[in-house]
Amino acid sequence: MKKYILPLGLLVASAVPVLAAESIVPNTAQSLEMGRELFASRCAECHGRDGKGHVEVIADAGDLTEPLLYRNGSTDEAIDRSIRDGAGAGMPAYSKELKNPEDVGHLRNYIKSLWPADKRPAVEK
Amino acid sequence: MANPYNAESSMRTESESKSSQSDETVDNVSSRRNFLRLSAASLGAAAASFSAGGVAAPDVAADGAIPSIRLADAFKQSLTEAPASTSFEGAGMTGAEVFANLCSKEDLAALFCCPGNYTVINALAAAGIPTYGGRTEGAMCAMADGFSRATGEVVATSGTEGPGFAHMIMNIAAANAARTPLLVLASNMTLAGDDREAFIQQAYQQPTTEGIKKYGKRMIDPARVHEYGAYAFRCLKSGVPQPVHLDFPAEVARARFKSPTELRDFYDKSKYRSESRASPAAKDVDAALALIAKSQRPLIVAGQGVFQRKGWDALRRAAEKADIAVVTSGPTRGFFPDDHRLSIATAPNALLSADLVIFVGQYCMPSPGEYRLDPQIKAIRVHPVQEDLGRNWPLDLGIVSDEALFLEILADRLPKAKRDAWVAELTKARSDYQAQIDEIYKLGLDHSAKTGMLHPAVITRDTQNFIDTHPDGRESIATGLGGWTIGLFAGRYMRAYRPAQEILPPYQYGAIGPDMAMMMGVSCAVQRGVGPQKGYEGTPTICITSDAGAAYSLMELDTAIKYGWPTITIVYNNNAWGVWPHASRSARSMHMYLFQEHLRYDQMATALGARGEYVRTPADFRAALARAYKAGRDEKASTLINCQAIKEFTSGKDYPPGVSLNAEPGAGAIAH
């Protein structure tokens, strides 16, 4: 894997329980880039590279670009849960593939960057 | 030519059946013969069969029992007939015979067909081409495709005018996506009847194969039948292969020729096509060597072109000389072993680290993002056709070359290099991936124990374990992986160690259904020992498929048994189309996605003359697989193992991890 240098805070945080580790991943440009790579390799086949879920041949994947359309909730906790444990009948659980708790956070940060501009979290410096 | 029908069928013929009514040893309750005996006894009904000569000959046992399934004597007799020679002398040659002779000189490896296009298929059989007849044109087309995927050879398929030809379409498209050198033949009524809907079965065939062929022609001038046959083989054996479609109106197939001068371009193959191949320019090789020298983590993606050009030895030599990672792509696997220290096929987490990718013979080209590679990766592409270089994937270097020639030159000119860090990363990534799928297997065992049904992780992992530990050697059994849920799991666990040990029926086109038929074509190739299957004659093949997929070609078990191709079909029976989650939020839709529950595919197989096994536990599955292999190897019997499951295994929420696509490129990749 490519090596990324994580801020010290993140390294410390990775030792605490999973939910906490995921929730504190800052929404930085670096996190978005890592999330983008994870999204491209794990999510894009079903949700589409633009997140609109138009790739119907594979699955009935949701449109990730509008939080109002999220079927299993759009809070940070709900998004993380869907990534980890799967959602609906078709979305697989990624807890076995994404061993690093921060990866779920990076992925969630990237997914939220697909939201409309007025709902999108600001990118931290 | 050696008799290609060297496999003795497990099925008895009429005469054998009459001479021995009670010579069977039954070793398990689900054996085919036992089932038939029980059926006959319980039904107690009478039926008639017909003798080989076509004369009605009531053949009911004295006690009124239904006769056993058997082969007609005429079937085996037909397989022993010697080829017939044809000449321009006397009555002359038909257009079909001219074409058949050309196919024979081109070493056409096989014809898989259903009756129809009679003049042509009879001429091909008479000319000595190994021919096989089956139950549906679509499945026979898939069989031809499977034979070619397992051998790299040119094969033919045929069907009757409109309906038979139309039935082949899905599988012609699948062959096109796989770049299979498939010769599609079909009769097509008469030129005189064109545009008049004369009699029956009129159809414009060539527009139907638009976009799924390399070349096609409705032959309208009888004198050009040899010319167009030559055109077909030039396309099939040059550059990037794809299906070629010739349709034969009766005026062409049945035309008579008494002299070669009546035929246009009646040349030998040495004149109508060339064996010359593009060799890479020296400056291009230099540029490639420079890029490789700068790379710390180079990767070769070896596509179907490397397999078709039999470049696997050169591939291995080049990779080992400079510690270059390798992954194969395409519908045929194993020409770089999955367990090689440089294989990245089961090390998906290392893909993003590669800093240089060298595509060789990647016929179906992905776009960046479709492969799990760094978007900024340097890219070299080696391809036999110049105009494809740069399509979809931006290149740092494009090289026009035959795949095998390039790899040989690369292997010769590459300086030796050690890339220890890269090799260590590959090793770790493989180990991590193995740990991940081992964990999923444990989950699968738990799910199986809790539900009393077979989880797909268990079926596929235990199948590979059977192969890995079999005394015949783990390289012996050729496999094919299809179906949706089961196919994606199989991609994680199934391995290939030698060229064409594994084929991927759904490759690129994503057809659910050709699996069983394709693997029968593979089995035919194995039993004949064609190409890379040589040395494995007598070994049964294993097809992993779904209940949805089996429905498309299950009837062809009749064909496998007729010709003595021992196939083991593992059917993941989850009572539904694997895509049923599409209906999970649509209450009025679910009925469209569901089958009757607990259908008995094993019993359907038994009724077709195969062995049937029904299993629901891991232990029963392993035992059934062992019995199936033994029966296939010792008796050339085919077996279908019905693995009862539940559709909810697809759901990651209920039964984690559920179904997800496998990394591309790599083991289990199906898109490119």
Side-chain angles (χ1 to χ4, degrees), chain B residues 82-270:
Chain B
S85 61
T86 52
S87 81
F88 291 107
E89 305 298 319
M93 294 169 70
T94 65
E97 287 167 340
V98 169
F99 177 75
N101 281 351
L102 182 147
C103 290
S104 179
K105 287 175 182 165
E106 286 281 9
D107 297 320
L108 179 66
L111 165 72
F112 296 85
C113 66
C114 285
N117 196 15
Y118 310 106
T119 311
V120 172
I121 65 169
N122 290 348
L124 287 166
I129 308 292
T131 50
Y132 308 98
R135 304 301 295 260
T136 70
E137 290 84 352
M140 296 311 284
C141 179
M143 233 176 264
D145 189 359
F147 185 101
S148 184
R149 292 185 193 205
T151 62
E153 298 293 321
V154 174
V155 291
T157 189
S158 175
T160 189
E161 3 266 306
F165 164 73
H167 198 271
M168 291 193 273
I169 287 298
M170 177 180 84
N171 294 302
I172 297 172
N176 181 68
R179 308 304 196 264
T180 299
L182 175 69
L183 178 56
V184 179
L185 306 171
S187 50
N188 202 355
M189 298 307 292
T190 62
L191 295 169
D194 268 2
D195 309 316
R196 299 178 64 87
E197 294 186 278
F199 192 40
I200 57 172
Q201 301 196 341
Q202 280 286 346
Y204 296 109
Q205 290 186 13
Q206 291 300 329
T208 312
T209 49
E210 199 64 48
I212 52 173
K213 66 187 168 192
K214 185 174 183 180
Y215 172 74
K217 186 69 183 176
R218 171 162 172 77
M219 288 180 279
I220 57 172
D221 181 353
R224 300 179 72 181
V225 64
H226 188 276
E227 177 191 350
Y228 284 119
Y231 212 121
F233 278 93
R234 189 163 52 245
C235 289
L236 291 161
K237 294 194 169 183
S238 309
V240 177
Q242 282 174 268
V244 168
H245 169 201
L246 297 179
D247 72 85
F248 285 81
E251 290 93 334
V252 173
R254 291 173 172 260
R256 288 229 163 244
F257 304 95
K258 295 196 171 186
S259 165
T261 59
E262 295 171 24
L263 289 157
R264 178 90 71 86
D265 291 1
F266 189 67
Y267 309 138
D268 176 71
K269 66 181 178 185
S270 64

Side-chain angles (χ1 to χ4, degrees), chain B residues 14 28 39 45 62 114 193 221 265 296 355 375 413 430 492 495 497 527 531 549 583 597 636-637:
Chain B
E14 277 176 75
N28 73 74
S39 298
C114 285
D221 181 353
D265 291 1
Q296 294 182 313
D355 59 7
R413 292 203 46 202
R430 269 196 305 275
R492 294 175 180 175
R495 299 290 175 262
Y497 307 115
Q527 301 317 310
E597 295 192 341
K636 297 203 176 298

Side-chain angles (χ1 to χ4, degrees), chain A residues 12-85:
Chain A
V12 173
S14 65
V16 301
V18 170
L19 266 177
E22 291 158 3
S23 62
I24 64 158
V25 174
N27 187 39
T28 62
Q30 186 189 39
S31 171
L32 290 176
E33 176 57 21
M34 293 182 74
R36 189 190 63 76
E37 283 192 2
L38 289 165
F39 186 87
S41 60
R42 264 81 172 184
C43 316
E45 290 102 340
C46 296
H47 289 283
R49 301 187 76 184
D50 58 5
K52 290 182 180 294
H54 288 170
V55 195
E56 192 189 79
V57 67
I58 300 296
D60 182 23
D63 180 350
L64 299 178
T65 65
E66 173 51 70
L68 292 174
L69 298 176
Y70 280 32
R71 298 155 177 162
N72 297 284
S74 59
T75 63
D76 285 0
E77 291 73 20
I79 294 170
D80 292 353
R81 188 172 54 244
S82 293
I83 295 169
R84 274 197 326 267
D85 304 333

Side-chain angles (χ1 to χ4, degrees), chain B residues 40-41 44-47 59-67:
Chain B
D59 185 18
V60 181
D63 61 0
I66 296 173

Side-chain angles (χ1 to χ4, degrees), chain B residues 464-479:
Chain B
Q464 186 58 45
N465 191 55
F466 174 81
I467 293 170
D468 282 340
T469 57
H470 200 278
D472 287 354
R474 63 181 189 166
E475 295 184 345
S476 60
I477 304 174
T479 60

